[in-house]
Amino acid sequence: MAQWTSAVGAPQLARLLRSQDSRDVEQVGGGRRLPAYRSLADGVRLLVLEGRVPVAARLPAERELAGAFGVSRTTVAAAYEALRAEGFLESRRGSGSWTAVPAGNPLPTRGLEPLPPEAAGSMIDLGCAALPAPEPWLTRAFQGAMSDLPLYAHTHGDYPAGLPVLRQALADRYTARGIPTMPEQIMVTTGAMGAVAAICRLCTGPGERVAVDSPSYANILQLMRDAGARLVPVALGERLTGWDIPAWRQVMRDAAPRMAYVVADYHNPTGSLASEEQRRRLVDAARSAGTLLVVDETMVELGLEEEAEPPRPVCGFDPAGSAVITVGSASKAFWAGMRIGWVRAAPDIIRSLVAARAYSDLGSPVLEQLAIASLLESGGWEQAVEIRRAQARENRDAIVAALQQHLPDWEFSVPHGGLTLWARTGGLSGSRIAEAGERLGVRVPSGPRFGVDGAFEGFVRLPFTVNGAVAEEAATRLAGAARLVATGAPAESETRQHAFVA
């Protein structure tokens, strides 16, 4: 049985190789030119480490790549052999060759865990993309919830589909966005993670293929791994401009994934925004392939620029509800401590999810549901989200300015929304920078956490959670970590001069 889960064609691989900076594939120190096979091998290796070619992707045959890239077949054969020797390529007679990551390289075995509160006094936490609670709206929401609680206190308190009042409020919100929705199409969950977990339990089984953005949200990737899913990464479009639709069509055709998980609005971690045309075409591709498309909208309300009109929701291109399930949450737009999420899907899917919930958590907390319903009905949600956008915008600008000053060789696109920035670390290992940074008092997740099997080694994710002097200090400490990695010096050689007070 073949070990590859996707494929990259010869023309596509040749185009990706040519797009690389010449200094990456043509020269070594002192300007000495590399042999052609070595340049080709290094180019493929860099594409794998950056995630532009997924791990476990079948590479074209030697003759095909030689013709597309304009080199001899001998050169390609030698490059493939070098990649096999280094652990970046595996082959099997009759199955071809597919990309890999060498044993011992950092692999994303865990998600993103919150920093323990006791460490907050000495560590700048850039690990979690979550802001403090917006006040006074949080307090007002729970005051409103307490006044409504007596109506529910005399019941058993288990509402597997969610409180009717909240289901109606969420349905009304989708309808206001131009997507007619009934309460029967909504199930309230314990956060977006609970929503995706419920969908995975219902719609996939161990060993089944699930296609995912590459990179994608680390905690969801780990959730799916733990569920036994076989992840099939699909690289984002060039310059992080949404989805690469031809690549998605090819994966859906060749790998036949049962399900796909995507983030269309202010993607985590890159901040990219899929266009309406990309959304329409991806839904068409999923419907044609019989792939269930799970769309994460947790960042949808965090647009940070004044835009004429937001793109239409992905579910708007699936009026019959046969191809798209939408996941939403209060965690990013309002506060992660609420732990309230939801699923919008066809009524029959919602009924199946609700029936299956009896074997998991039975339902979400009543008080928190009442608080979200109070926010939505009173107009407090819009007011709080507007403040949240202003905070994120200010934090984003501070982080960008600090990075440009202290780490000018790091490359990134400034996102127009969301809570995260995806930075290329100047050719250094993101995992090593993360390790050194933690010892210097700044916590940042490395790129491989957001990929499949070790991809994105040259990246880190930076959330918009700090501002002012804290953002400046975070960039200073990251620059110190980068110097340590570049020189190979131990972390103790950088002295922590200031204790950080949250």
Side-chain angles (χ1 to χ4, degrees):
M1 180 178 175
Q3 299 300 304
W4 53 274
T5 58
S6 61
V8 57
Q12 179 189 7
L13 182 57
R15 175 175 54 82
L16 290 171
L17 288 165
R18 292 191 183 101
S19 72
Q20 291 176 327
D21 192 296
S22 61
R23 69 175 181 268
D24 292 327
V25 297
E26 292 184 359
Q27 295 185 337
V28 293
R32 179 169 56 86
R33 190 175 181 85
L34 289 172
Y37 85 90
R38 185 68 263 174
S39 293
L40 178 57
D42 286 352
V44 173
R45 175 179 55 81
L46 187 62
L47 289 171
V48 173
L49 289 175
E50 290 182 344
R52 298 177 70 191
V53 169
V55 175
R58 188 175 188 266
L59 294 187
E62 295 169 1
R63 188 184 302 277
E64 294 175 358
L65 182 57
F69 198 50
V71 296
S72 70
R73 183 178 178 181
T74 301
T75 296
V76 177
Y80 278 14
E81 182 58 37
L83 289 167
R84 275 189 288 269
E86 295 164 3
F88 285 94
L89 196 69
E90 296 181 10
S91 303
R92 178 177 297 175
R93 185 178 298 277
S95 298
S97 299
W98 55 92
T99 55
V101 171
N105 269 38
L107 296 178
T109 57
R110 300 289 300 277
L112 305 178
E113 305 83 14
L115 183 70
E118 61 269 18
S122 60
M123 184 75 68
I124 300 176
D125 185 13
L126 299 181
C128 294
L131 293 168
E135 288 289 17
W137 292 276
L138 178 66
T139 298
R140 290 175 182 172
F142 276 100
Q143 288 172 342
M146 289 298 295
S147 66
D148 293 334
L149 186 60
L151 298 174
Y152 299 88
H154 62 83
T155 72
H156 52 62
D158 288 333
Y159 293 85
L163 295 184
V165 64
L166 181 54
R167 297 176 76 193
Q168 182 67 62
L170 292 169
D172 291 345
R173 195 161 186 83
Y174 279 104
T175 300
R177 293 171 63 193
I179 311 298
T181 303
M182 304 178 296
E184 292 79 8
Q185 292 176 264
I186 301 292
M187 181 179 84
V188 180
T189 63
T190 307
M193 292 286 290
V196 176
I199 295 166
C200 286
R201 285 193 297 270
L202 179 68
C203 302
T204 66
E208 288 198 90
R209 291 171 175 169
V210 176
V212 295
D213 293 328
S214 183
S216 187
Y217 178 39
N219 286 345
I220 292 294
L221 295 181
Q222 189 59 39
L223 182 156
M224 291 178 175
R225 290 187 191 99
D226 291 345
R230 188 177 179 188
L231 301 182
V232 183
V234 187
L236 292 180
E238 289 191 54
R239 301 184 184 276
L240 306 180
T241 53
W243 297 312
D244 183 339
I245 299 300
W248 271 102
R249 287 191 180 277
Q250 182 174 358
V251 164
M252 289 179 179
R253 182 181 65 246
D254 295 346
R258 174 69 184 90
M259 190 176 88
Y261 169 81
V262 296
V263 185
D265 298 280
Y266 310 120
H267 177 267
N268 186 354
T270 68
S272 67
L273 179 67
S275 68
E276 284 205 7
E277 179 63 14
Q278 289 172 332
R279 295 167 192 236
R280 182 188 64 78
R281 294 173 64 193
L282 186 61
V283 172
D284 288 345
R287 188 184 294 113
S288 298
T291 297
L292 184 65
L293 196 60
V294 178
V295 180
D296 189 331
E297 283 194 340
T298 53
M299 296 282 191
V300 69
E301 300 201 55
L302 292 176
L304 304 184
E305 307 293 347
E306 294 295 333
E307 300 187 21
E309 189 173 346
R312 191 179 184 193
V314 178
C315 59
F317 299 95
D318 180 41
S322 61
V324 177
I325 297 179
T326 303
V327 170
S329 171
S331 296
K332 303 301 183 185
F334 189 73
W335 186 45
M338 295 295 278
R339 306 312 310 149
I340 294 296
W342 52 86
V343 177
R344 181 202 181 274
D348 60 326
I349 294 177
I350 294 296
R351 286 192 294 270
S352 297
L353 287 169
V354 171
R357 195 172 190 178
Y359 308 103
S360 55
D361 64 353
L362 292 178
S364 300
V366 170
L367 190 63
E368 280 79 353
Q369 291 187 71
L370 288 173
I372 295 297
S374 175
L375 282 167
L376 292 172
E377 293 175 342
S378 67
W381 178 274
E382 284 77 10
Q383 297 171 15
V385 169
E386 189 57 40
I387 295 298
R388 180 66 86 221
R389 292 191 191 104
Q391 291 175 327
R393 186 184 303 114
E394 185 178 355
N395 292 355
R396 178 199 63 182
D397 295 345
I399 286 286
V400 166
L403 290 175
Q404 290 172 338
Q405 178 181 352
H406 296 285
L407 290 156
D409 58 331
W410 284 22
E411 302 172 33
F412 52 86
S413 297
V414 180
H416 292 175
L419 288 173
T420 58
L421 181 149
W422 186 239
R424 188 195 303 262
T425 53
L428 301 176
S429 164
S431 296
R432 290 188 175 91
I433 289 174
E435 180 184 14
E438 192 144 353
R439 285 179 283 170
L440 295 179
V442 58
R443 182 173 181 258
V444 60
S446 62
R449 289 178 178 267
F450 304 89
V452 176
D453 293 336
F456 304 109
E457 183 58 55
F459 291 82
V460 296
R461 189 196 74 170
L462 301 169
F464 311 145
T465 53
V466 295
N467 194 5
V470 181
E472 189 78 14
E473 179 64 17
T476 299
R477 296 184 187 186
L478 283 174
R483 285 194 297 272
L484 293 177
V485 174
T487 61
E492 289 73 14
S493 65
E494 288 270 345
T495 303
R496 227 185 274 180
Q497 298 181 353
H498 305 286
F500 171 66
V501 179

